[in-house]
Amino acid sequence: MPNVTLQILDQRGSPIRLGPLVAAGAEGSVYVSGVNPETLIKVYHPASPEENQARDRKVRAMLAADNELKTHRRLAWPQAPALNTNGVVVGYIMHRIKGITLVPLSAPVMMARDLPHWTQRHVCRVVHDLASVCHLLESREVCIGDFNLNNFLTRREDAETSCIDCDSFQLRAHGELFPSRVYTPEFSSPEVLAQPERQRCLGAAQFRFSGALFFFTLLCRGAHAYQVKGGGSPEDNILKGRFFVGPRGVATAGTSDAIYARYRALSPRIAGLIKRTVIQGHSSDLNARPSFSEWVSALREYYQTLPRN
């Protein structure tokens, strides 16, 4: 049985029945609905009154969002609030997305073990789906702050990929900014890394930078665009602008041969988007960072060139 002592109510004031626990994280726990197995309920962990009010405002803003976000089948967007007896939001109800996390794509050996029938064509489908969702989010002034392999689910059979943990997204509504509370440093832009943690704010340029790094890591099976031997952590290299390929596409000192080979196997157009992001778009020209619509187009083109087997 769920270990929840708080009474949770729906909008009509009726108790919400919780089924088995699906996942637990730093902010809350996710349960299968005790009534509908295709529905999940996220219940936040107890927090300060200020944090509870911030959660309440953000979830209500998400519930009032564009209908395309609420109904998108690849977004686990809040559908209805879960309330305490005082009417304060303590969680939310969402449709259930099934699949596995993207962790098997973090290394070639893991993909071979966990997804033995997958090819680069499957991986390209994953990234295309993410780029497509990011394009929609950006058009609605919503940004993903926490690009994390565990925050996305993919289907083994066809690689269709969806976003979960949507309440961690940054969004603007009614003149108020609701920031992302969590960031993944190795997929953050240099200007975000330079900001104090509590003051971090994303714009389109920062969202595009993070997305490009994440897409590269997926397409190159765990390699990082700022992964350099003896060069410190990826986030240190992001701040210093130490990309593993120079402006002319030649590997820089300390670059792994295996990582460079994976990069070279990408289509020229995809490689060009990466270079625009991390060289021209690193700090001198943030507008050089490719849009998500460019990524969608390039990935669709790349997908058609990949063998089916």
Side-chain angles (χ1 to χ4, degrees):
M1 293 295 292
N3 184 22
V4 177
T5 56
L6 179 72
Q7 187 175 16
I8 304 169
L9 309 174
D10 64 18
Q11 297 176 88
R12 300 183 301 274
S14 301
I16 293 176
R17 288 174 51 195
L18 301 180
L21 177 70
V22 174
E27 282 201 327
S29 299
V30 178
Y31 300 88
V32 177
S33 165
V35 177
N36 181 358
E38 298 304 311
T39 298
L40 299 179
I41 298 102
K42 181 169 184 176
V43 181
Y44 292 120
H45 299 318
S48 67
E50 295 77 16
E51 179 65 21
N52 289 336
Q53 287 298 322
R55 289 171 173 172
D56 181 282
R57 292 198 310 276
K58 185 171 186 178
V59 171
R60 292 184 188 278
M62 296 188 78
L63 292 171
D66 186 294
N67 197 51
E68 189 172 359
L69 294 175
K70 292 181 67 175
T71 60
H72 200 290
R73 67 192 182 102
R74 288 191 276 112
L75 284 172
W77 198 268
Q79 301 296 306
L83 309 168
N84 65 15
T85 53
N86 294 320
V88 176
V89 171
V90 292
Y92 60 88
I93 299 166
M94 57 185 155
H95 68 270
R96 186 176 190 176
I97 294 176
K98 297 178 182 178
I100 62 170
T101 70
L102 302 185
V103 171
L105 302 188
S106 61
V109 65
M110 293 183 68
M111 186 172 121
R113 182 192 67 198
D114 299 337
L115 297 166
H117 67 290
W118 273 36
T119 66
Q120 185 71 350
R121 195 175 171 90
H122 292 85
V123 178
C124 185
R125 166 72 192 275
V126 168
V127 181
H128 176 274
D129 282 0
L130 293 180
S132 177
V133 169
C134 288
H135 176 53
L136 171 63
L137 293 175
E138 184 185 57
S139 72
R140 302 302 194 274
E141 293 191 279
V142 179
C143 299
I144 299 176
D146 188 19
F147 275 96
N148 183 308
L149 294 168
N150 290 304
N151 286 347
F152 309 95
L153 298 181
T154 190
R155 301 196 311 196
R156 293 176 182 270
E157 60 271 26
D158 60 7
E160 181 177 281
T161 302
S162 304
C163 302
I164 57 175
D165 198 34
C166 294
D167 62 321
S168 72
F169 295 174
Q170 175 188 288
L171 71 150
R172 294 180 184 273
H174 311 299
E176 184 175 0
L177 173 70
F178 298 93
S180 175
R181 298 285 184 175
V182 185
Y183 293 85
T184 307
E186 61 265 34
F187 297 118
S188 295
S189 67
E191 57 272 21
V192 167
L193 291 174
Q195 294 173 349
E197 187 170 343
R198 299 296 293 181
Q199 298 178 22
R200 289 176 178 172
C201 175
L202 302 174
Q206 292 72 45
F207 187 17
R208 292 173 179 182
F209 188 94
S210 296
L213 295 194
F214 194 66
F215 299 163
F216 177 89
T217 290
L218 295 174
L219 290 168
C220 292
R221 320 283 175 87
H224 196 287
Y226 287 94
Q227 184 176 341
V228 181
K229 290 180 181 177
S233 66
E235 50 265 44
D236 288 337
N237 290 331
I238 290 171
L239 285 167
K240 297 173 184 175
R242 295 192 63 192
F243 177 48
F244 77 80
V245 173
R248 297 185 179 181
V250 178
T252 56
T255 298
S256 160
D257 290 341
I259 292 175
Y260 185 64
R262 286 179 232 166
Y263 167 77
R264 293 286 292 173
L266 299 174
S267 71
R269 192 174 173 193
I270 296 289
L273 295 181
I274 292 293
K275 285 174 61 180
R276 273 177 53 196
T277 300
V278 301
I279 297 177
Q280 298 100 307
H282 177 265
S283 56
S284 60
D285 183 8
L286 304 191
N287 292 325
R289 297 172 182 176
S291 68
F292 289 114
S293 63
E294 289 181 84
W295 275 102
V296 170
S297 175
L299 288 160
R300 187 179 297 123
E301 179 184 278
Y302 179 45
Y303 182 83
Q304 296 301 324
T305 68
L306 295 170
R308 293 183 178 275
N309 298 314

